Amino acid sequence: EAAVTQSPRNKVAVTGGKVTLSCNQTNNHNNMYWYRQDTGHGLRLIHYSYGAGSTEKGDIPDGYKASRPSQENFSLILELATPSQTSVYFCASGANAEQFFGPGTRLTVL
Amino acid sequence: AQSVTQPDARVTVSEGASLQLRCKYSSSVTPYLFWYVQYPRQGLQLLLKYYSGDPVVQGVNGFEAEFSKSNSSFHLRKASVHWSDSAVYFCAVTDNYAQGLTFGLGTRVSVFP
């Protein structure tokens, strides 16, 4: 059974709208991460978390917020979505130098 | 700051042939190094990781990688590829794994019969 799940798997949003991407893990890992994947850029780290209540900025945090209300859940929030945020977003949980990735969310901002 | 360079965007090999994917990294300290594989429309799966010890590390599905501090490299190898090895392979680095990974752009491998 999948240990890192993401919802929704696909999302179409309008420019200026609010988007929330959700991630749930059953690995009981303290660390969680949000990345985006774009052609020509590989995967880039947006936000990460050390545990419930913790959120930290990654390499490209502008335009994104994160929320970690519990050990299991880590959300990525786009308060005012822009077309440049069209991408595939991956969540991961990690421990002992290993990260386990979810299946990804394909977000299109029109 | 860390960085990863995968110089080959695409590699095409015949089934049964050997495969080598190149990875060069830049880091101020000896980092953690990883190879991940991504199959179509899926997330990334860990193939192997290295931090210290024997510079040749074994991974899943017959993959291995060799670390070279002098060359700042972490190349991935497989002796005999199968069509199911067709995927995108990412090299990644971090000096603090709790703070996330820095990925290369990936190498797309196509295996032909």
Side-chain angles (χ1 to χ4, degrees):
Chain A
E1 187 168 339
V4 180
T5 56
Q6 296 182 229
S7 62
R9 294 293 313 277
N10 291 282
K11 172 76 177 177
V12 179
V14 296
T15 297
K18 181 176 180 178
V19 177
T20 300
L21 307 183
S22 299
C23 178
N24 177 276
Q25 57 111 350
T26 57
N27 296 319
N28 197 32
H29 289 158
N30 288 331
N31 302 322
M32 294 188 74
Y33 310 86
W34 277 106
Y35 296 88
R36 61 179 285 177
Q37 183 177 29
D38 303 286
T39 302
H41 290 281
L43 280 84
R44 292 177 290 172
L45 181 67
I46 306 170
H47 284 287
Y48 61 98
S49 169
Y50 293 120
S54 152
T55 62
E56 308 291 335
K57 293 180 179 179
D59 298 325
I60 54 162
D62 293 346
Y64 302 94
K65 292 172 57 178
S67 174
R68 183 86 181 272
S70 66
Q71 178 83 338
E72 297 78 19
N73 295 294
F74 190 37
S75 297
L76 186 69
I77 303 154
L78 292 66
E79 295 278 5
L80 294 170
T82 68
S84 64
Q85 294 176 312
T86 293
S87 186
V88 180
Y89 292 84
F90 287 98
C91 174
S93 72
N96 299 324
E98 289 192 35
Q99 292 189 16
F100 298 84
F101 285 78
T105 294
R106 184 173 297 276
L107 173 65
T108 302
V109 183
L110 301 176
Chain B
Q2 304 148 59
S3 66
V4 177
T5 301
Q6 295 181 247
D8 304 308
R10 293 178 179 267
V11 170
T12 301
V13 293
S14 299
E15 195 167 26
S18 63
L19 174 69
Q20 176 169 285
L21 303 181
R22 295 180 291 164
C23 174
K24 299 270 288 184
Y25 69 90
S26 173
S27 176
S28 58
V29 298
T30 300
Y32 292 87
L33 293 157
F34 308 83
W35 276 98
Y36 282 85
V37 61
Q38 184 179 33
Y39 298 103
R41 293 173 294 283
Q42 295 186 26
L44 279 70
Q45 300 172 32
L46 181 67
L47 284 177
L48 47 79
K49 66 179 180 181
Y50 174 81
Y51 180 65
S52 64
D54 190 333
V56 178
V57 291
Q58 304 297 320
V60 298
N61 297 332
F63 285 95
E64 67 175 27
E66 184 167 5
F67 168 70
S68 171
K69 185 173 183 178
S70 61
N71 293 323
S72 297
S73 67
F74 189 54
H75 300 331
L76 182 70
R77 301 190 295 247
K78 186 170 184 179
S80 177
V81 297
H82 185 262
W83 64 267
S84 59
D85 293 322
S86 296
V88 181
Y89 293 78
F90 291 94
C91 182
V93 62
T94 185
D95 59 7
N96 184 334
Y97 62 78
Q99 296 178 355
L101 305 179
T102 298
F103 286 86
L105 298 186
T107 298
R108 181 176 299 276
V109 173
S110 299
V111 180
F112 288 89

